[in-house]
Structures are given as structure tokens and as C-alpha cells.
Amino acid sequence: MTTAERIKIIEASCKQVGRGVFFSTLIIVASFLPVFLLEGQEGKLFGPLAWTKSFILAIDAILAVTLAPVLISFFLKGKLRTDDHNPLNRVLQKVYHPLLNWCMTWRKTTIGVNILALLISVPLLLSLGTEFMPPLDEGTILFMPVTLPDVSNSEAKQILQLQDRIIKSIPEVKNVLGKAGRANTATDNSPVNMVETIILLKPKDEWRKGIKKEDIINELNAKLQIPGVVNGWTQPIINRINMLSTGIRTDVGLKVYGQNLDTIYALSTRMKRELQGIAGVKDLYVDPITGGKYLDIKVNKDAIGRYGLSVDDVNEVVESALGGMNLTPTIEGRRRFSVNLRLAQDYRNSLDAIKHTLVQTSNNGPIPLSSVADIQINDGPAMIQSENALLRGTVLFNVRDRDLGSTVDEAQKRLTSMVKTLPKGYFIEWSGQYENLIRAEHTLKLVLPIVLIIIFACLYFAFHSIREAFFSLISIPFALIGGAYMVYFFGVHLSVAVAVGFIALFGIAVETGIVMVIYLNDAMQQLVALKGNSAATITRADLHEYVMNGAVKRLRPKLMTVCVALFGLVPILWSTGTGSDVMLPIVLPMIGGVLTSSTHILLVTPLIFLMVKEYELKKHGKLEVLEVKE
């Protein structure tokens, strides 16, 4: 074979698959459009994945039609051998040929089995639970109990120390660090009754045999049942993300809006009672609104008139004795502090001590503060929360041992009758991770149909035929079969990560389908070139033979397309460590979908192609042959 003949063969081969390879790469990029439109946490997490893959594939599409043919001309030299010389390929063809022949013989059975498998996968998907994101194991536990609002500093300190000792008694716990109240920063508005305890765990090889992180949390929760304390369990990073994005420190929060704090708290308490007993609802409590203790000092104007005092005189004593009077600033290096003056703790730690605080008069000497003011402790709001110019209360709970979607759905059904009878001006809103779940679902449902239309348009431009575009697009629903089975049997809930896995699967399935359609059309071109394009010269046996050749003789490139994707994903099934819990839901639908879509493409696509060509030959007297164009 001369160099010119070899170059001509390479050129023809590149023209044959070039258009399909370019558009299949373009389709994979287009399939990631929903990922680009994701917002919030999901957009920040999966956006880099989509951008990285898109840039790689964009360059790959260009190189496939420019650099690849040049490199082939350089390296493809010497004696060229057919696929039959490869022993592995011969074995694969011997297995594939009788399978495909059986499928073409038993047509209705083959198509029926595929449709049945597809129909079974639909209820499997619908039976799966839903969640926003798979829980990422951060390796650390955040314990966030809430006490009564009127807890004192000393009581909060005692509770914190007791909890830390109990937590440290668990063998898997390495270190414990607890904090009550707010940190020394303006961005932390935590009240004294809220405790944050970070629990660092030992490496998993040092844990007791058979114990899991969930078991450790359940054991800790059982030991930390302290009266007046409501436990809450989460993780440090996700807790901060939830608080910053939704203002809720648990997985789910039911926000109650209205005009009166007492009414809001009463409604929140009723809703809490309704939610009790729902499977999956853990750490349920009402964010305390009332219950704070306030020292009210009301000046008696008649009394201060008898003693020759003014309201300002009494307020000045209260400020200097109890609140602290600002005397002067002090400067230490580059730091500036204010110096305050007030009575020592022993003289203001009880109501009687405060009542005996002395007030200096001009004519009667020092008198107790209780002589000129009514002093008492009253209940009031511990913390006033508002949102969108409305007062707000919250019912908070975490979700464990169940998926987020079905848990909140059941909770909403429990509250349906109550919500309909809320007073005028009061309403509720579900927030937390559920808010993110609804937003992501809305985005995906809106964009996925548009993506399918874009994919179909790309296929049409690749083949210039609606029928051929449909052949390649039909592999997408059959790719769902394996994806649905894998996700179901691994017990993974539907989430944004699973959706991203299915989105990536669509592009891979279409790419394999394009390769098959290209080779089947090439077989038809060979048949027409040999026998002419007429029903008088082409028989059903000829069509059967050449479709078999187009499918079987080009088995290796199709399997390579599948295996490259499959072998890169399978190792993730055995991956461990931080991040593996998010990666597994992504690759499960891709692995299962690649297996079923490739099976459909290898066995069913040639059958459908053969049936269509037989119909064309019978109705029109000739075949519609797709010509290869540059």
C-alpha cells in the first residue's frame, strides 16, 4: 500500500466518524447546561465540575477533527491488520454475534424485555427518597443543645462542663471543645442558652468493631438527656452553611411569621406537638421566643418628688451601680479600651441587693433604691427575630434515618388543617435544606426539557436526519434503567448529586449511540454500492447480513467508547474518606446507565435499524442512505 492510498483511507475514516465525534462531544457539553444554572450551595459545589469537563471536551472536540487525523497519519504505518487478528476482539465477536442474531430473530421478545425493564425502573425511581445533598461526613460532630432562655452564666457553665465529661467518656471521642453563649466577635449573636460543642473523633481503625458514626451520635444522645436541655446534632461546616444561607441551624426549619411574639410562640408550640412522632424527625424543639428574664426598674415620680430627686438622678445611680458607667478610655499600644465602673457582683446578684442600692439625696442622706422605684423581674422575649420586616419564630428539627423529602412531606400533611386556620396576618414558610431542595428541583425540571431539545438539534445537525437523531436520542431513557437500578439497590436517595450523575450519563449514552448509527449507515452504504438501491436487488437477508456486519465488525470501537467511561468510574465505588459520600451518588447512575445503555445500543439499536430499513424497502422500494459529509 502506497503512502497516498494509506492517507486516503485515513482521510475517509476520519470523515466518516469526525462529524459524529464532534457533535457527540458538543452534546456532552450541552447536557451540562442544568449544572451551570444551579444556584447556591449546589452551584458552588458542582459548577467547577461542569466547567472543567466542558473546557476539556471543547478542546477535545477541536483536536478530534484537527490533530487526531494528523497523528494517525504519522503513527499508523506498516502492515495494516483487520480486527480479526486481535484475539480479544475475536472472542468478543463470537459472544456478540449469536446474541445479536437471537435478538434479531426474536424481535418482539427483545423489544418487550427492554420496554418492561424501562417500565419497572420508573416506579423504582419514584419510590426513592429525596434529599438536597448526600450527607458529607466531615469527620467531626457538632453538638448544639439549647437550654431554657433564663439560664444563668454559672448554670450554663456547669451544664457545659457536665456535657463535656460525658462526651469524653465515649471511647471513639478524641477531643471535646465546648462554648456557651457568643464568641468575642460581632458576627456571633448566640444567646447564653445555646451551647456549641465540637467533638473530634479518633481514626476509624481505633473505633469499636462494627460501630458507625450514627451509632456514636445515638449513644451520645442517650447519655446526654439532661432535664431542660434539648439536644441537637449536626456537623460544623454544614451548620455554618445552613445558618449563613437560610438562617436555620438545623436541617429543616419551619418559620412562623406574624405580628405578635406571644401568638407566634403559641402557634410554634402547637406545630411542634403536631410534628412529634413523625419518623425521621429528630432534635425537635421550638426556638425560644419568650422566657427571658428582665429587671424592670420603674421610677416612682411621687416618691422622687418628696426626696427632691429627678428621674435623671435615679437613672444615673442605676447606670453606675448596675449597668456600668463609662469613665474614660485607655490606650494600650494600638488597641483602645473603655474603662467602666459598677458595683461588684456580690452587691448586684440578687433582687434584694439591688433594692438596697443607695441613692444619695440632698436633704435626707442616702436612701435605698426601692424607696423611689418599683423593682421587679418580669418575663419577656429572650431574643427578637425578624425577617422581611415581620416578627419570626421557628420550629427546628434535624432529619436522620429517613430521607428529607418524604419527612417534610409528611410534616406538611400533618400541619395542613392547622395552616388553613392560622390567624389573619400569620403564615409559615419551610426553610433549611428543604428550601435548597425545592430550588434545585425547580431549576432541573425547568432546564432538562430544554437540554433534550438542544441534544436533539445537535443530533439532527450531525446526521441531517430526524430518524437518525431519534435513534441516538432513544438510548437516553434506556440509560435510566441501569442508573435507577444502581441507585435503588445501593440505597441512595435522589439528590442534586444523583441528578448530576444522570445528566453526565445522558451525554455518554448519546455518544455511544452516535457511533453505532454511524457504522450501521456505513454498512448500508456498502450494501447499496454493491447491489444498488432498489427493492428488486436487495433482499431481507441482505439487510440482515449487512446490519450484522455493521454491528459486529465494528464492535471494538463501540466497546472502547463504553469502557473508557466505565473503567474510570468503577474505582470510585470502593473509595473512602472525605468526599466519597458525594462522589458515590454521582457515579452510581453513570455506571449502571452505561451498562444498560450500551446493552441497548449493541442489541436493540441494530434491531430497530433493521426494522426501519425493511419498512423503507417495502414502502418506498429503496433505502434512505446517510451520506458521509465533510
Side-chain angles (χ1 to χ4, degrees), residues 557-611:
K558 299 164 199 169
L559 289 179
M560 287 175 61
T561 306
V562 173
C563 291
V564 167
L566 196 60
F567 292 159
L569 297 173
V570 169
I572 299 178
L573 293 177
W574 292 277
S575 62
T576 58
T578 304
S580 60
D581 0 38
V582 177
M583 290 303 300
L584 186 65
I586 296 178
V587 303
L588 282 177
M590 295 177 68
I591 293 174
V594 165
L595 291 174
T596 54
S597 67
S598 58
T599 303
H600 169 81
I601 290 166
L602 291 174
L603 298 177
V604 183
T605 300
L607 170 58
I608 298 176
F609 187 88
L610 175 62
M611 294 171 66

Side-chain angles (χ1 to χ4, degrees), residues 178-228:
K179 172 185 76 71
R182 70 189 63 187
N184 188 23
T185 170
T187 60
D188 189 354
N189 61 346
S190 302
V192 178
N193 65 316
M194 191 174 80
V195 176
E196 295 181 2
T197 301
I198 297 177
I199 305 171
L200 300 180
L201 302 176
K202 296 177 181 178
K204 289 189 176 181
D205 55 2
E206 299 181 22
W207 292 7
R208 285 169 288 175
K209 187 176 180 180
I211 197 168
K212 299 179 181 178
K213 188 176 180 181
E214 293 78 10
D215 301 327
I216 297 175
I217 293 176
N218 292 333
E219 184 177 350
L220 286 170
N221 190 59
K223 289 187 174 183
L224 290 168
Q225 295 299 320
I226 301 174

Side-chain angles (χ1 to χ4, degrees), residues 241-275:
I241 291 175
N242 289 340
M243 293 181 71
L244 289 172
S245 60
T246 64
I248 299 298
R249 58 179 175 267
T250 54
D251 294 338
V252 183
L254 178 58
K255 298 178 180 178
V256 184
Y257 295 93
Q259 303 295 332
N260 183 274
L261 288 176
D262 292 332
T263 306
I264 291 174
Y265 186 71
L267 292 173
S268 301
T269 305
R270 285 177 55 196
M271 292 178 184
K272 175 195 171 184
R273 288 197 296 268
E274 292 291 333
L275 296 177

Side-chain angles (χ1 to χ4, degrees), residues 16-59:
Q16 181 186 29
V17 299
R19 178 183 292 271
V21 170
F22 178 82
F23 278 99
S24 63
T25 307
L26 191 63
I27 287 169
I28 296 177
V29 176
S31 67
F32 272 93
L33 180 60
V35 183
F36 290 120
L37 298 179
L38 291 176
E39 303 171 342
Q41 302 174 39
E42 65 274 22
K44 291 181 175 63
L45 182 62
F46 295 111
L49 168 67
W51 281 110
T52 302
K53 189 163 185 176
S54 297
F55 282 128
I56 292 173
L57 290 173
I59 300 299

Side-chain angles (χ1 to χ4, degrees), residues 538-575:
I538 300 177
T539 64
R540 290 169 61 98
D542 294 332
L543 284 175
H544 184 280
E545 179 186 352
Y546 275 81
V547 168
M548 287 288 292
N549 289 338
V552 177
K553 297 300 183 183
R554 303 295 179 86
L555 178 63
R556 187 169 64 176
K558 299 164 199 169
L559 289 179
M560 287 175 61
T561 306
V562 173
C563 291
V564 167
L566 196 60
F567 292 159
L569 297 173
V570 169
I572 299 178
L573 293 177
W574 292 277
S575 62

Side-chain angles (χ1 to χ4, degrees), residues 446-493:
L446 182 67
V447 179
L448 277 177
I450 301 174
V451 171
L452 292 176
I453 294 173
I454 294 174
I455 291 176
F456 186 81
C458 292
L459 289 170
Y460 176 77
F461 288 123
F463 297 115
H464 296 289
S465 170
I466 294 179
R467 184 183 294 119
E468 307 299 340
F470 177 75
F471 281 152
S472 298
L473 192 65
I474 202 175
S475 61
I476 289 180
F478 290 96
L480 287 172
I481 299 174
Y485 288 172
M486 286 287 285
V487 172
Y488 179 82
F489 288 116
F490 271 79
V492 175
H493 299 309

Side-chain angles (χ1 to χ4, degrees), residues 50-119:
W51 281 110
T52 302
K53 189 163 185 176
S54 297
F55 282 128
I56 292 173
L57 290 173
I59 300 299
D60 176 65
I62 297 172
L63 296 179
V65 297
T66 56
L67 181 62
V70 177
L71 294 178
I72 292 172
S73 65
F74 284 145
F75 294 103
L76 194 61
K77 296 180 179 179
K79 185 178 181 180
L80 302 181
R81 295 183 177 182
T82 62
D83 290 346
D84 296 334
H85 287 80
N86 189 308
L88 178 61
N89 198 62
R90 288 198 303 269
V91 173
L92 292 174
Q93 286 184 1
K94 286 181 180 179
V95 175
Y96 179 48
H97 189 280
L99 280 175
L100 182 58
N101 189 56
W102 186 92
C103 292
M104 288 185 174
T105 303
W106 299 92
R107 300 181 178 187
K108 293 181 180 180
T109 303
T110 302
I111 296 175
V113 168
N114 274 263
I115 294 176
L116 180 63
L118 180 60
L119 293 177

